[in-house]
Amino acid sequence: MTTDVVIAGAGPVGLLTAALLDAAGVRVQVFEREAGPSVHSKATTVHPRTLEVLTALETGGRRLSDALVDQGRTIPRAHFAALPAMLDYSALETPFPYVLMLPQARTERALTDCLRERGVPVHYRRPVTGAEQDASGVRVHTGGDVHEARYLVGADGARSLVRRLAGIGFPGTDPSLVGFAADVELADPPAGPSHRWFRDTGSLSIVPLPDGQYRMFGTEPADTGLTAEEVRARRAQPQSLEWLRATLRRITGSDCGVRDASWITNATDSTRNADRYRAGRLLIVGDAAHIHLPAGGQGLNVGLQDAANLAWKLAAEHHGWAPDRLTGGPCDYDSERRPISARLAADTLAQGALMHTFTPGGEALRAMFSDLIGQGGDLARELTGWLSGLDLSYSAPGGAHPLAGTRAPDLALAGSSLLHALRQDAFLLADFTPSGRFAHLASRRVDVRAARPGSGVWSTLEAALIRPDGYVAAVAAVATGSPSPASGALADAFAAEVAGWTTPGNAPSTAARTAR
């Protein structure tokens, strides 16, 4: 089989990268060390922006996001650092105003089914074992076989071989604590998510999963402030159902009615972010690029959005239509995603301090933060926008319109909506003019759609160019006080922006300026 891209790793991030590349017309194969899809779930939380991204794909004749929602449990609130006051998702401007509690293994199976339907090969028990690259491509070794490809994407986890082959550094901090997690059945479960914290004995959270199971996670004070060697020794200790019950009794005074546990594991707060996400034709995504304390499912969600950012850009490069800004400029994969992961690292380190500082000062800090979140002010809005993924944005050039680089809402289009109409091989141009004034900009790489004007600043636009990953590339906006809502200067400036995003070799411009 001729292959354009080889992906190392068949976890959710590798599978989504493969599906999106295939949707963009790129021939792809996935190679995985394990014998099959995982039956255990490191993550259990899917946030709204991730569900929006997954709407681009189908499985079993349905949008992937809808299929996953039907399998999980929706909760209109999310926790930050397991504080008592929670973040309210219910009023978010999205089709998915909630946290979806769904074991990662189910997300992985759904993506596997999606790839099977698309005819994308996923090879289990066949790990990538080596690679050499040159100016024309990559020779990828999978055991005794060699595959010629244009690119190799490493979605092969924290110990990524692809990252090492590429010579990419992985700086960060060593682990200092060991926490536990378990999927359990409870005799008397709480009515909803429960987060308890005790200064002297530790913390315990319980969140509901589908099919009557619950995810427990927590930490004892004695398991914090450790050296890296002590962390390794603690993680090597055996964990059993009786061990879990004894741990729960030490933290809460009871075993919390645990009847059975299908999985018990541990986790640390080791925090690392690769010093680059690309070396020639080798790229890394997900845990291969960044690791951190598990907190609110952010690792899985950020990893899946790595895939969404990378896939369309790599496809554009492969097909020969990518402008310079996408291949090595300010909008390339590394430039946009590595700062997001740096913020993720800072966020989870902060959450770790709030969760695991079992001192009077730590207790006071938790009370202060919880009170501020409960007030629903700027802090709560900032954290809600970040955790949900909806307020994530990418840098835009100086002078750009404020919408440039931000996520586009699910705009109403003629016969569809933005999330359902996005394509991996083309930009979507939302034309808000009654006469369809921008229809002439349609091309193989620009899908022009009649759109209903949105609210707020979106109501001032004549048109918007939306990237395949759902972020705003450029807008046609009339300056305040302009006598003409569609001047020739506006149309010409916007047409130049469209060309700048879809023509190979174009130098980066001051995207999305307001015509005056």
Side-chain angles (χ1 to χ4, degrees):
M1 175 182 175
T2 303
T3 303
D4 300 323
V5 178
V6 167
I7 295 178
V13 175
L15 296 174
L16 180 59
T17 306
L20 294 174
L21 284 168
D22 181 72
V26 176
R27 296 166 297 186
V28 60
Q29 293 192 70
V30 183
F31 293 86
E32 167 59 45
R33 178 181 305 277
E34 299 299 329
S38 175
V39 297
H40 300 303
S41 300
K42 291 189 296 181
T44 58
T45 305
V46 185
H47 287 285
R49 179 60 188 149
T50 301
L51 290 169
E52 291 186 349
V53 166
L54 296 175
T55 303
L57 297 170
E58 292 188 359
T59 180
R62 305 180 63 204
R63 296 290 172 165
L64 183 55
S65 53
D66 294 335
L68 292 179
V69 169
D70 282 353
Q71 295 183 51
R73 296 184 64 166
T74 61
I75 299 174
R77 297 174 297 156
H79 81 84
F80 181 82
L83 293 170
M86 300 184 71
L87 302 170
D88 184 6
Y89 279 15
S90 62
L92 293 175
E93 186 183 2
T94 175
F96 310 101
Y98 43 73
V99 167
L100 178 67
M101 301 305 301
L102 183 72
Q104 179 177 316
R106 294 201 181 190
T107 302
E108 187 173 321
R109 284 199 298 272
L111 286 164
T112 302
D113 292 342
C114 176
L115 289 181
R116 185 183 304 112
E117 294 167 12
R118 303 188 73 93
V120 175
V122 180
H123 308 283
Y124 291 100
R125 292 197 181 95
R126 292 181 64 187
V128 169
T129 55
E132 305 93 29
Q133 64 171 316
D134 57 29
S136 61
V138 187
R139 289 171 55 85
V140 182
H141 301 265
T142 58
D145 298 326
V146 178
H147 306 268
E148 302 284 348
R150 294 285 306 283
Y151 307 94
L152 170 62
V153 176
D156 48 344
R159 297 180 176 85
S160 172
L161 174 64
V162 175
R163 188 183 64 238
R164 297 199 301 273
L165 292 171
I168 295 173
F170 204 36
T173 60
D174 289 334
S176 64
L177 62 85
V178 179
F180 67 89
D183 292 341
V184 301
E185 295 178 10
L186 298 176
D188 186 21
S194 169
H195 303 287
R196 290 188 284 173
W197 190 93
F198 308 95
R199 188 179 74 193
D200 296 328
T201 59
S203 63
L204 175 66
S205 293
I206 304 175
V207 294
L209 299 176
D211 301 332
Q213 283 209 316
Y214 290 80
R215 166 63 58 91
M216 283 184 162
F217 59 91
T219 308
E220 294 186 83
D223 289 330
T224 65
L226 307 176
T227 65
E229 293 74 19
E230 289 171 330
V231 168
R232 283 191 288 272
R234 301 273 177 111
R235 297 193 77 183
Q237 295 174 359
Q239 297 168 318
S240 64
L241 181 59
E242 285 309 313
W243 173 91
L244 176 64
R245 285 172 170 156
T247 300
L248 297 175
R249 283 193 289 268
R250 288 194 298 271
I251 294 173
T252 70
S254 78
D255 65 7
C256 301
V258 172
R259 289 174 170 170
D260 197 9
S262 60
W263 188 48
I264 304 172
T265 188
N266 54 44
T268 77
D269 62 342
S270 181
T271 304
R272 299 185 180 277
N273 190 18
D275 56 23
R276 52 189 170 137
Y277 285 6
R278 178 172 188 169
R281 295 181 176 275
L282 276 58
L283 304 99
I284 53 175
V285 292
D287 286 354
H290 43 79
I291 60 171
H292 55 86
L293 173 75
Q298 290 185 83
L300 172 64
N301 287 266
V302 171
L304 292 173
Q305 290 171 57
D306 287 348
N309 185 282
L310 171 63
W312 70 275
K313 296 175 181 177
L314 194 60
E317 180 178 338
H318 171 68
H319 290 307
W321 64 268
D324 292 344
R325 69 181 77 182
L326 294 184
T327 58
C331 302
D332 72 4
Y333 168 62
D334 178 89
S335 297
E336 290 195 334
R337 291 306 298 175
R338 198 151 52 88
I340 299 299
S341 299
R343 178 174 176 181
L344 171 66
D347 174 277
T348 53
L349 285 170
Q351 289 198 61
L354 283 165
M355 294 169 71
H356 305 127
T357 304
F358 296 105
T359 65
E363 187 172 29
L365 191 62
R366 285 182 61 83
M368 178 184 294
F369 261 79
S370 187
D371 182 61
L372 289 171
I373 288 173
Q375 292 176 26
D378 290 345
L379 176 64
R381 284 190 291 272
E382 173 73 17
L383 294 176
T384 298
W386 163 252
L387 288 179
S388 68
L390 299 180
D391 285 355
L392 180 151
S393 61
Y394 299 122
S395 296
H401 190 278
L403 287 176
T406 66
R407 158 194 163 267
D410 192 23
L411 299 168
L413 308 179
S416 186
S417 72
L418 178 71
L419 293 177
H420 287 77
L422 287 173
R423 290 166 40 189
Q424 294 304 302
D425 61 348
F427 284 72
L428 188 147
L429 195 160
D431 187 343
F432 300 111
T433 64
S435 61
R437 189 171 292 117
F438 296 93
H440 67 285
L441 296 178
S443 69
R444 183 180 179 188
R445 300 303 176 195
V446 180
D447 179 19
V448 179
R449 296 291 190 97
R452 185 184 309 155
S455 59
V457 67
W458 283 88
S459 66
T460 69
L461 304 185
E462 296 288 324
L465 184 69
I466 311 299
R467 302 172 2 166
D469 59 356
Y471 288 85
V472 177
V475 301
V478 181
T480 303
S482 173
S484 171
S487 68
L490 173 71
D492 291 346
F494 186 64
E497 287 297 335
V498 172
W501 280 97
T502 58
T503 305
N506 263 291
S509 66
T510 54
R513 289 188 184 276
T514 299
R516 295 187 184 276

